[in-house]
Amino acid sequence: MSEHGLPADVSRRQMLVRSAAIAAMVGPGSALAAGCAAGSGSSKSSTTNSGSTAANSSDPKNPFGVKASNPLDVYVFKGGYGDNYAKAFEAMYTKDFPGASVSHHSGQNLTGDLQPRFNAGSPPDVIDDSGAQQLKLDVLNSSGQLTNLDQLLNAPSIDDPSKKVRDTLLAGTIEQGQLGQSMFSLNYVFTVFGLWYSASTFKKNNWQVPTTWDDFMTLCATIKATGMAPFAHQGKYPYYMLVPLMDMVAKNGGPDVQTAIDNLEPNAWKADAVKNSVDAIYELVDKGYMLPGTEGLTHIQSQTLWNQGKAAVIPCGSWLENEQLTATPPGFDMAVFAMPSLTGDKMPQTAVRAEAGEPFIVPSKAKNQAGGLEFLRIMCSKAGGASFAQNANSLSVVKDAITPEISAKLLPGTKSSNDLYQAANGQYIAWYYLNWYSQFEKDLEDAMSQLMANKIKPADFINRAQSAADKCAADSSVQKFKRPTSTS
């Protein structure tokens, strides 16, 4: 994911991690309570787009009625996780349906590759819809192009037919994929976001991981004095910098500010928490702490320079380690820390964005819709989750999928991500506007890009954000959703 430098557009949704501690994290009592349950609005497609294949509990081995000889067409975004994990899923599918031929396609320009197929009424049967050129889920949903995945959730689990698939997923997974009251995407990868650094470099220089923004600014000054840039970011993909900004907003403002922003309330972006956070992020630019030219770099370019020691810190999701495997030097000891706190924060400094990401969808007009659903059911098995961990160096949303053998092989960044998740102690940050309103998200990214390039000031960014929110709220063609006010 990071594909796109990033995960997936409109939400660019997110990504990975895992570890033996994972056993606790993925255990029966685990709660990836990614913040709030998704919106209360009803989806236009929630009742009309359920597709033609209803789960048949009378046949737990084939609840969707897959015809063994029907071919399966799979398309996956080839980003930070690669696509070997998908090939492994495909092998599991053909083991169950040996007469089926599976077509495997991967790429990064999903809109360019797949929009013509949607237009022609012949989309793939299952799609990993991620990356900068991701197909916008809200647009697909409003045009009736997505299969309602509630039938997947209610199908019997492969591991234990007495349980439904919904019971095998980490808490928060279903909500992240909902548009209204129904789930239309299976957000499969569990991702932790934060600020990444080389633990060995910090240790060598006796630099302490900061917990407050003031401490971070002091550290940045110290780092800059050595000739190393304190901070780099994936400038061509401004979503990356929106993540730390919005994490700071959530921590400083708490549930009330999150609700106001997600619900497109008037003047939500005028809140003190927004101003405090934008001002803080802008300090990195204003004080010259950014890697020169980083605003024009791709994710791979900036991350590689970071691996080379040209910058000390970079924001990203936990897919970073797998994405940078070949660029990371021996002994780099990749690690991640949570956003430092601002004065007056309403959430603890250890609060972190940790959520289900990387949306998989089954188009409503897929020729083998039943096969697409079964493919997702296989992914939701323990064997599927374990296979993903081994092939993508990442954690899935499948409970209890990580064995001690797998957890013992975790890379340092993955272990650090899990430590960060554990330290949050249930205090997780989740935003929904980026999944619900793709144009609004794009408008924010455009403004973020200008801010980080020092072409606009904090007040300009806030005005542009509020204007974009107001435009979205006033657009009657955009379906609206509501974030529950009782959750954070």
Side-chain angles (χ1 to χ4, degrees):
M1 309 53 347
S2 103
E3 353 266 54
H4 22 27
L6 156 297
D9 196 1
V10 129
S11 103
R12 275 139 209 236
R13 321 198 166 194
Q14 312 99 348
M15 302 79 290
L16 51 136
V17 229
R18 83 190 181 281
S19 111
I22 266 178
M25 163 174 161
V26 187
S30 75
L32 180 180
C36 342
S40 58
S42 62
S43 169
K44 293 178 181 178
S45 305
S46 61
T47 57
T48 61
N49 240 16
S50 57
S52 58
T53 62
N56 177 10
S57 58
S58 64
D59 185 2
K61 293 185 178 181
N62 188 10
F64 306 114
V66 176
K67 293 182 180 180
S69 61
N70 281 2
L72 183 73
D73 190 351
V74 179
Y75 186 105
V76 297
F77 172 78
K78 191 173 182 178
Y81 306 120
D83 64 347
N84 286 336
Y85 75 87
K87 294 176 181 178
F89 291 147
E90 291 159 11
M92 297 169 73
Y93 183 91
T94 54
K95 182 179 179 180
D96 291 341
F97 304 100
S101 63
V102 177
S103 299
H104 173 92
H105 304 280
S106 63
Q108 296 193 352
N109 185 5
L110 274 77
T111 296
D113 292 347
L114 300 182
Q115 192 61 62
R117 296 190 59 181
F118 273 91
N119 294 342
S122 60
D125 301 313
V126 62
I127 301 169
D128 167 22
D129 185 31
S130 191
Q133 300 303 317
Q134 169 204 42
L135 295 160
K136 304 300 187 289
L137 294 183
D138 55 340
V139 175
L140 290 176
N141 180 59
S142 64
S143 59
Q145 296 286 341
L146 298 179
T147 296
N148 188 319
L149 298 184
D150 287 352
Q151 57 193 308
L152 168 68
L153 298 175
N154 294 324
S157 163
I158 288 177
D159 299 306
D160 182 356
S162 68
K163 293 183 178 180
K164 296 180 179 180
V165 170
R166 67 170 63 246
D167 300 321
T168 68
L169 305 177
L170 288 175
T173 301
I174 295 173
E175 290 83 355
Q176 285 291 339
Q178 284 182 330
L179 292 170
Q181 298 300 313
S182 292
M183 190 178 85
F184 288 89
S185 65
L186 171 64
N187 289 276
Y188 187 71
V189 185
F190 179 69
T191 305
V192 174
F193 293 85
L195 299 181
W196 292 77
Y197 66 104
S198 164
S200 60
T201 298
F202 268 51
K203 182 178 181 180
K204 176 183 177 181
N205 291 282
N206 197 30
W207 296 337
Q208 302 301 310
V209 172
T211 56
T212 70
W213 193 256
D214 287 343
D215 288 343
F216 187 39
M217 289 298 96
T218 299
L219 175 62
C220 284
T222 299
I223 293 172
K224 185 178 181 180
T226 70
M228 179 187 290
F231 204 95
H233 69 100
Q234 304 83 340
K236 283 187 175 293
Y237 306 104
Y239 163 83
Y240 282 93
M241 280 306 298
L242 267 179
V243 171
L245 170 64
M246 297 311 293
D247 285 357
M248 294 181 78
V249 171
K251 288 185 179 185
N252 198 236
D256 290 344
V257 170
Q258 285 188 277
T259 297
I261 288 176
D262 272 341
N263 290 354
L264 304 175
E265 293 179 8
N267 296 317
W269 289 85
K270 303 294 186 179
D272 288 342
V274 175
K275 183 180 186 304
N276 296 339
S277 302
V278 177
D279 285 346
I281 290 292
Y282 182 69
E283 280 189 86
L284 292 168
V285 177
D286 193 44
K287 293 184 176 180
Y289 292 153
M290 305 301 296
L291 176 70
T294 190
E295 69 276 5
L297 299 179
T298 67
H299 58 303
I300 295 299
Q301 290 170 334
S302 61
Q303 291 162 191
T304 299
L305 289 173
W306 168 71
N307 279 140
Q308 295 171 350
K310 300 297 192 298
V313 175
I314 194 167
C316 203
S318 47
W319 64 82
L320 177 65
E321 186 167 45
N322 193 67
E323 187 168 64
Q324 293 297 115
L325 279 179
T326 60
T328 304
F332 189 81
D333 200 10
M334 197 176 293
V336 60
F337 62 91
M339 288 304 297
S341 61
L342 295 171
T343 301
D345 274 3
K346 293 181 171 58
M347 295 183 74
Q349 188 276 325
T350 52
V352 67
R353 190 182 302 208
E355 59 193 12
E358 201 68 7
F360 284 75
I361 60 174
V362 175
S364 59
K365 295 182 180 180
K367 289 183 174 60
N368 189 4
Q369 188 186 70
L373 289 166
E374 182 63 19
F375 189 86
L376 297 186
R377 193 171 78 109
I378 290 171
M379 289 171 57
C380 293
S381 66
K382 291 180 182 179
S387 176
F388 183 78
Q390 291 173 305
N391 284 286
N393 290 314
S394 308
L395 175 68
S396 75
V397 296
V398 181
K399 293 179 181 178
D400 303 324
I402 306 303
T403 65
E405 292 75 17
I406 293 174
S407 65
K409 300 176 182 178
L410 296 179
L411 298 176
T414 301
K415 292 179 180 178
S416 181
S417 297
N418 183 65
D419 290 344
L420 198 64
Y421 168 86
Q422 297 288 350
N425 194 29
Q427 294 292 309
Y428 307 121
I429 299 165
W431 290 96
Y432 292 93
Y433 68 83
L434 65 168
N435 295 316
W436 295 340
Y437 311 119
S438 58
Q439 183 58 52
F440 176 38
E441 164 72 3
K442 181 181 183 302
D443 291 342
L444 290 178
E445 290 184 22
D446 290 344
M448 194 74 206
S449 178
Q450 296 288 297
L451 181 72
M452 299 313 295
N454 206 15
K455 293 181 179 179
I456 62 174
K457 303 302 181 185
D460 303 313
F461 173 87
I462 292 171
N463 288 335
R464 286 179 58 167
Q466 187 60 61
S467 177
D470 292 342
K471 180 179 69 173
C472 183
D475 189 342
S476 61
S477 69
V478 176
Q479 184 181 1
K480 306 304 191 300
F481 303 98
K482 292 294 183 181
R483 178 179 183 131
T485 57
S486 59
T487 56
S488 61

Short mmCIF file of all heavy atoms in Angstrom, two decimals, residues 315-361:
data_model
loop_
_atom_site.label_atom_id
_atom_site.label_comp_id
_atom_site.label_asym_id
_atom_site.label_seq_id
_atom_site.Cartn_x
_atom_site.Cartn_y
_atom_site.Cartn_z
N PRO A 315 6.89 9.72 7.67
CA PRO A 315 5.57 9.19 8.05
C PRO A 315 5.16 8.07 7.10
O PRO A 315 5.42 8.13 5.90
CB PRO A 315 4.66 10.41 7.89
CG PRO A 315 5.28 11.18 6.75
CD PRO A 315 6.78 10.98 6.92
N CYS A 316 4.52 7.05 7.63
CA CYS A 316 4.05 5.97 6.76
C CYS A 316 3.21 4.98 7.56
O CYS A 316 3.14 5.04 8.78
CB CYS A 316 5.23 5.24 6.11
SG CYS A 316 4.82 4.37 4.57
N GLY A 317 2.59 4.06 6.82
CA GLY A 317 1.91 2.93 7.42
C GLY A 317 2.85 1.75 7.48
O GLY A 317 3.93 1.76 6.88
N SER A 318 2.44 0.70 8.14
CA SER A 318 3.35 -0.40 8.43
C SER A 318 3.63 -1.31 7.25
O SER A 318 4.33 -2.30 7.39
CB SER A 318 2.81 -1.22 9.61
OG SER A 318 1.43 -1.49 9.45
N TRP A 319 3.14 -0.92 6.05
CA TRP A 319 3.56 -1.64 4.85
C TRP A 319 4.99 -1.23 4.46
O TRP A 319 5.60 -1.83 3.61
CB TRP A 319 2.61 -1.33 3.70
CG TRP A 319 2.63 0.12 3.30
CD1 TRP A 319 3.52 0.74 2.48
CD2 TRP A 319 1.73 1.13 3.73
NE1 TRP A 319 3.24 2.08 2.37
CE2 TRP A 319 2.14 2.35 3.13
CE3 TRP A 319 0.60 1.14 4.56
CZ2 TRP A 319 1.47 3.55 3.34
CZ3 TRP A 319 -0.07 2.33 4.76
CH2 TRP A 319 0.37 3.52 4.16
N LEU A 320 5.48 -0.17 5.10
CA LEU A 320 6.77 0.42 4.72
C LEU A 320 7.90 -0.60 4.71
O LEU A 320 8.71 -0.64 3.79
CB LEU A 320 7.10 1.57 5.69
CG LEU A 320 8.46 2.25 5.48
CD1 LEU A 320 8.50 2.97 4.14
CD2 LEU A 320 8.72 3.24 6.63
N GLU A 321 7.95 -1.44 5.73
CA GLU A 321 9.07 -2.37 5.85
C GLU A 321 9.13 -3.33 4.66
O GLU A 321 10.19 -3.56 4.08
CB GLU A 321 8.96 -3.15 7.15
CG GLU A 321 10.16 -4.03 7.43
CD GLU A 321 10.17 -4.53 8.86
OE1 GLU A 321 9.11 -4.96 9.36
OE2 GLU A 321 11.25 -4.49 9.49
N ASN A 322 7.98 -3.89 4.30
CA ASN A 322 7.96 -4.83 3.18
C ASN A 322 8.27 -4.12 1.87
O ASN A 322 8.98 -4.63 1.00
CB ASN A 322 6.60 -5.52 3.09
CG ASN A 322 6.63 -6.72 2.17
OD1 ASN A 322 7.29 -7.72 2.45
ND2 ASN A 322 5.93 -6.63 1.05
N GLU A 323 7.75 -2.90 1.73
CA GLU A 323 7.96 -2.14 0.51
C GLU A 323 9.43 -1.78 0.31
O GLU A 323 9.91 -1.69 -0.83
CB GLU A 323 7.11 -0.87 0.55
CG GLU A 323 7.11 -0.08 -0.73
CD GLU A 323 6.03 1.00 -0.72
OE1 GLU A 323 6.12 1.91 0.12
OE2 GLU A 323 5.10 0.91 -1.53
N GLN A 324 10.15 -1.58 1.42
CA GLN A 324 11.54 -1.13 1.34
C GLN A 324 12.56 -2.24 1.61
O GLN A 324 13.73 -1.95 1.90
CB GLN A 324 11.75 0.01 2.34
CG GLN A 324 10.99 1.29 2.02
CD GLN A 324 11.41 1.91 0.70
OE1 GLN A 324 10.62 1.99 -0.23
NE2 GLN A 324 12.65 2.37 0.63
N LEU A 325 12.14 -3.47 1.49
CA LEU A 325 13.04 -4.58 1.83
C LEU A 325 14.38 -4.49 1.09
O LEU A 325 15.44 -4.67 1.68
CB LEU A 325 12.36 -5.91 1.52
CG LEU A 325 11.38 -6.44 2.57
CD1 LEU A 325 10.78 -7.76 2.10
CD2 LEU A 325 12.04 -6.61 3.93
N THR A 326 14.32 -4.25 -0.20
CA THR A 326 15.57 -4.26 -0.97
C THR A 326 16.40 -2.99 -0.77
O THR A 326 17.59 -2.98 -1.07
CB THR A 326 15.27 -4.42 -2.47
OG1 THR A 326 14.45 -3.33 -2.93
CG2 THR A 326 14.53 -5.73 -2.73
N ALA A 327 15.78 -1.93 -0.28
CA ALA A 327 16.50 -0.66 -0.10
C ALA A 327 17.03 -0.47 1.32
O ALA A 327 17.85 0.41 1.56
CB ALA A 327 15.58 0.51 -0.45
N THR A 328 16.56 -1.29 2.25
CA THR A 328 16.95 -1.13 3.64
C THR A 328 18.28 -1.80 3.92
O THR A 328 18.44 -3.00 3.73
CB THR A 328 15.88 -1.73 4.58
OG1 THR A 328 14.61 -1.13 4.30
CG2 THR A 328 16.24 -1.49 6.03
N PRO A 329 19.28 -1.04 4.38
CA PRO A 329 20.61 -1.62 4.63
C PRO A 329 20.61 -2.50 5.87
O PRO A 329 19.78 -2.33 6.77
CB PRO A 329 21.49 -0.39 4.82
CG PRO A 329 20.58 0.67 5.32
CD PRO A 329 19.25 0.41 4.63
N PRO A 330 21.54 -3.45 5.94
CA PRO A 330 21.65 -4.29 7.13
C PRO A 330 21.87 -3.43 8.37
O PRO A 330 22.58 -2.42 8.33
CB PRO A 330 22.88 -5.16 6.83
CG PRO A 330 22.99 -5.17 5.33
CD PRO A 330 22.53 -3.80 4.89
N GLY A 331 21.22 -3.84 9.45
CA GLY A 331 21.41 -3.12 10.70
C GLY A 331 20.63 -1.83 10.82
O GLY A 331 20.80 -1.08 11.79
N PHE A 332 19.77 -1.55 9.86
CA PHE A 332 18.99 -0.31 9.90
C PHE A 332 18.05 -0.30 11.09
O PHE A 332 17.80 0.73 11.71
CB PHE A 332 18.19 -0.18 8.60
CG PHE A 332 17.50 1.16 8.42
CD1 PHE A 332 18.21 2.26 7.96
CD2 PHE A 332 16.15 1.31 8.70
CE1 PHE A 332 17.58 3.49 7.78
CE2 PHE A 332 15.51 2.53 8.53
CZ PHE A 332 16.24 3.62 8.07
N ASP A 333 17.48 -1.47 11.41
CA ASP A 333 16.62 -1.62 12.58
C ASP A 333 15.43 -0.66 12.53
O ASP A 333 15.27 0.22 13.36
CB ASP A 333 17.42 -1.39 13.86
CG ASP A 333 16.74 -2.00 15.09
OD1 ASP A 333 15.75 -2.74 14.91
OD2 ASP A 333 17.20 -1.72 16.22
N MET A 334 14.58 -0.88 11.56
CA MET A 334 13.42 -0.02 11.35
C MET A 334 12.48 -0.04 12.55
O MET A 334 12.23 -1.08 13.15
CB MET A 334 12.67 -0.48 10.09
CG MET A 334 11.72 0.54 9.52
SD MET A 334 10.94 -0.03 7.96
CE MET A 334 12.35 -0.08 6.84
N ALA A 335 11.96 1.13 12.92
CA ALA A 335 11.05 1.24 14.07
C ALA A 335 10.10 2.41 13.84
O ALA A 335 10.29 3.22 12.94
CB ALA A 335 11.85 1.44 15.36
N VAL A 336 9.07 2.49 14.67
CA VAL A 336 8.04 3.51 14.48
C VAL A 336 7.58 4.03 15.84
O VAL A 336 7.54 3.29 16.82
CB VAL A 336 6.85 2.92 13.68
CG1 VAL A 336 6.22 1.74 14.40
CG2 VAL A 336 5.81 3.99 13.37
N PHE A 337 7.25 5.33 15.89
CA PHE A 337 6.68 5.90 17.11
C PHE A 337 5.41 6.68 16.79
O PHE A 337 5.19 7.10 15.64
CB PHE A 337 7.69 6.76 17.89
CG PHE A 337 8.22 7.98 17.18
CD1 PHE A 337 7.59 9.21 17.30
CD2 PHE A 337 9.40 7.91 16.45
CE1 PHE A 337 8.09 10.35 16.68
CE2 PHE A 337 9.93 9.04 15.83
CZ PHE A 337 9.28 10.26 15.95
N ALA A 338 4.57 6.85 17.80
CA ALA A 338 3.29 7.55 17.63
C ALA A 338 3.52 9.05 17.53
O ALA A 338 4.55 9.58 17.98
CB ALA A 338 2.37 7.25 18.81
N MET A 339 2.55 9.76 16.95
CA MET A 339 2.66 11.21 16.84
C MET A 339 2.86 11.84 18.21
O MET A 339 2.13 11.54 19.15
CB MET A 339 1.40 11.78 16.19
CG MET A 339 1.28 11.47 14.71
SD MET A 339 2.70 12.01 13.74
CE MET A 339 2.63 13.79 14.01
N PRO A 340 3.86 12.70 18.33
CA PRO A 340 4.08 13.40 19.61
C PRO A 340 2.87 14.24 19.99
O PRO A 340 2.11 14.69 19.12
CB PRO A 340 5.30 14.27 19.32
CG PRO A 340 6.00 13.59 18.18
CD PRO A 340 4.90 13.03 17.34
N SER A 341 2.69 14.45 21.26
CA SER A 341 1.50 15.13 21.76
C SER A 341 1.65 16.65 21.76
O SER A 341 2.75 17.19 21.88
CB SER A 341 1.17 14.66 23.18
OG SER A 341 2.23 14.97 24.06
N LEU A 342 0.50 17.32 21.61
CA LEU A 342 0.42 18.76 21.74
C LEU A 342 -0.14 19.10 23.11
O LEU A 342 -0.83 18.28 23.74
CB LEU A 342 -0.50 19.34 20.66
CG LEU A 342 -0.06 19.20 19.21
CD1 LEU A 342 -1.18 19.63 18.28
CD2 LEU A 342 1.20 20.00 18.95
N THR A 343 0.09 20.30 23.57
CA THR A 343 -0.47 20.74 24.85
C THR A 343 -1.99 20.68 24.79
O THR A 343 -2.61 21.14 23.84
CB THR A 343 -0.02 22.18 25.16
OG1 THR A 343 1.40 22.23 25.21
CG2 THR A 343 -0.61 22.64 26.50
N GLY A 344 -2.58 20.08 25.80
CA GLY A 344 -4.04 20.03 25.88
C GLY A 344 -4.69 18.88 25.12
O GLY A 344 -5.91 18.87 24.94
N ASP A 345 -3.90 17.90 24.67
CA ASP A 345 -4.47 16.76 23.95
C ASP A 345 -5.55 16.07 24.78
O ASP A 345 -5.41 15.90 25.99
CB ASP A 345 -3.38 15.75 23.61
CG ASP A 345 -2.67 16.05 22.31
OD1 ASP A 345 -2.99 17.09 21.69
OD2 ASP A 345 -1.80 15.25 21.91
N LYS A 346 -6.61 15.63 24.09
CA LYS A 346 -7.70 14.91 24.75
C LYS A 346 -7.54 13.40 24.64
O LYS A 346 -8.30 12.65 25.21
CB LYS A 346 -9.04 15.36 24.17
CG LYS A 346 -9.38 16.81 24.50
CD LYS A 346 -10.73 17.22 23.93
CE LYS A 346 -11.16 18.58 24.46
NZ LYS A 346 -10.19 19.65 24.15
N MET A 347 -6.57 12.95 23.85
CA MET A 347 -6.23 11.53 23.77
C MET A 347 -4.79 11.38 24.23
O MET A 347 -3.99 12.31 24.12
CB MET A 347 -6.38 11.00 22.34
CG MET A 347 -7.80 11.00 21.80
SD MET A 347 -7.90 10.26 20.12
CE MET A 347 -7.70 8.51 20.52
N PRO A 348 -4.44 10.21 24.78
CA PRO A 348 -3.06 10.00 25.25
C PRO A 348 -2.05 10.02 24.11
O PRO A 348 -2.40 9.77 22.95
CB PRO A 348 -3.13 8.62 25.92
CG PRO A 348 -4.29 7.95 25.28
CD PRO A 348 -5.29 9.02 25.01
N GLN A 349 -0.81 10.31 24.44
CA GLN A 349 0.23 10.36 23.42
C GLN A 349 0.39 9.02 22.73
O GLN A 349 0.74 8.93 21.55
CB GLN A 349 1.56 10.78 24.04
CG GLN A 349 2.69 11.04 23.03
CD GLN A 349 3.43 9.79 22.60
OE1 GLN A 349 3.61 8.87 23.41
NE2 GLN A 349 3.86 9.74 21.35
N THR A 350 0.08 7.95 23.43
CA THR A 350 0.24 6.61 22.86
C THR A 350 -0.87 6.23 21.90
O THR A 350 -0.79 5.18 21.25
CB THR A 350 0.29 5.57 23.99
OG1 THR A 350 -0.85 5.76 24.86
CG2 THR A 350 1.57 5.71 24.82
N ALA A 351 -1.91 7.06 21.79
CA ALA A 351 -2.98 6.76 20.84
C ALA A 351 -2.40 6.70 19.44
O ALA A 351 -1.51 7.48 19.09
CB ALA A 351 -4.08 7.82 20.93
N VAL A 352 -2.89 5.80 18.62
CA VAL A 352 -2.30 5.58 17.31
C VAL A 352 -3.38 5.22 16.30
O VAL A 352 -4.42 4.67 16.66
CB VAL A 352 -1.23 4.46 17.39
CG1 VAL A 352 -1.86 3.12 17.69
CG2 VAL A 352 -0.41 4.39 16.11
N ARG A 353 -3.12 5.56 15.05
CA ARG A 353 -4.04 5.13 14.00
C ARG A 353 -3.71 3.67 13.67
O ARG A 353 -2.61 3.36 13.21
CB ARG A 353 -3.92 6.00 12.75
CG ARG A 353 -5.04 5.71 11.75
CD ARG A 353 -4.94 6.51 10.48
NE ARG A 353 -4.94 7.95 10.68
CZ ARG A 353 -5.37 8.83 9.79
NH1 ARG A 353 -5.87 8.41 8.63
NH2 ARG A 353 -5.31 10.12 10.03
N ALA A 354 -4.65 2.80 13.91
CA ALA A 354 -4.47 1.37 13.63
C ALA A 354 -5.80 0.86 13.10
O ALA A 354 -6.81 0.94 13.80
CB ALA A 354 -4.08 0.62 14.90
N GLU A 355 -5.80 0.37 11.88
CA GLU A 355 -7.09 0.05 11.28
C GLU A 355 -6.96 -0.96 10.15
O GLU A 355 -5.86 -1.25 9.67
CB GLU A 355 -7.72 1.33 10.73
CG GLU A 355 -6.86 2.03 9.70
CD GLU A 355 -7.34 3.44 9.39
OE1 GLU A 355 -8.19 3.95 10.13
OE2 GLU A 355 -6.86 4.02 8.40
N ALA A 356 -8.12 -1.45 9.77
CA ALA A 356 -8.18 -2.37 8.64
C ALA A 356 -8.11 -1.55 7.35
O ALA A 356 -8.81 -0.56 7.20
CB ALA A 356 -9.48 -3.16 8.69
N GLY A 357 -7.27 -2.01 6.43
CA GLY A 357 -7.14 -1.30 5.16
C GLY A 357 -6.95 -2.26 4.01
O GLY A 357 -7.04 -3.46 4.14
N GLU A 358 -6.66 -1.71 2.85
CA GLU A 358 -6.49 -2.47 1.62
C GLU A 358 -7.81 -3.14 1.24
O GLU A 358 -8.07 -4.30 1.53
CB GLU A 358 -5.41 -3.53 1.80
CG GLU A 358 -4.81 -4.01 0.48
CD GLU A 358 -3.99 -2.96 -0.27
OE1 GLU A 358 -3.77 -1.88 0.30
OE2 GLU A 358 -3.60 -3.22 -1.41
N PRO A 359 -8.71 -2.39 0.59
CA PRO A 359 -10.05 -2.88 0.31
C PRO A 359 -10.11 -3.88 -0.85
O PRO A 359 -9.62 -3.60 -1.94
CB PRO A 359 -10.82 -1.61 -0.03
CG PRO A 359 -9.79 -0.68 -0.57
CD PRO A 359 -8.53 -0.98 0.19
N PHE A 360 -10.72 -5.00 -0.59
CA PHE A 360 -11.00 -5.99 -1.63
C PHE A 360 -12.50 -5.94 -1.94
O PHE A 360 -13.32 -5.89 -1.02
CB PHE A 360 -10.61 -7.40 -1.18
CG PHE A 360 -9.14 -7.65 -1.21
CD1 PHE A 360 -8.30 -7.11 -0.24
CD2 PHE A 360 -8.58 -8.42 -2.21
CE1 PHE A 360 -6.94 -7.33 -0.28
CE2 PHE A 360 -7.21 -8.66 -2.26
CZ PHE A 360 -6.39 -8.11 -1.30
N ILE A 361 -12.83 -5.95 -3.21
CA ILE A 361 -14.24 -5.85 -3.62
C ILE A 361 -14.58 -6.94 -4.62
O ILE A 361 -13.71 -7.50 -5.29
CB ILE A 361 -14.54 -4.47 -4.25
CG1 ILE A 361 -13.67 -4.24 -5.51
CG2 ILE A 361 -14.34 -3.35 -3.24
CD1 ILE A 361 -14.02 -2.97 -6.27
#
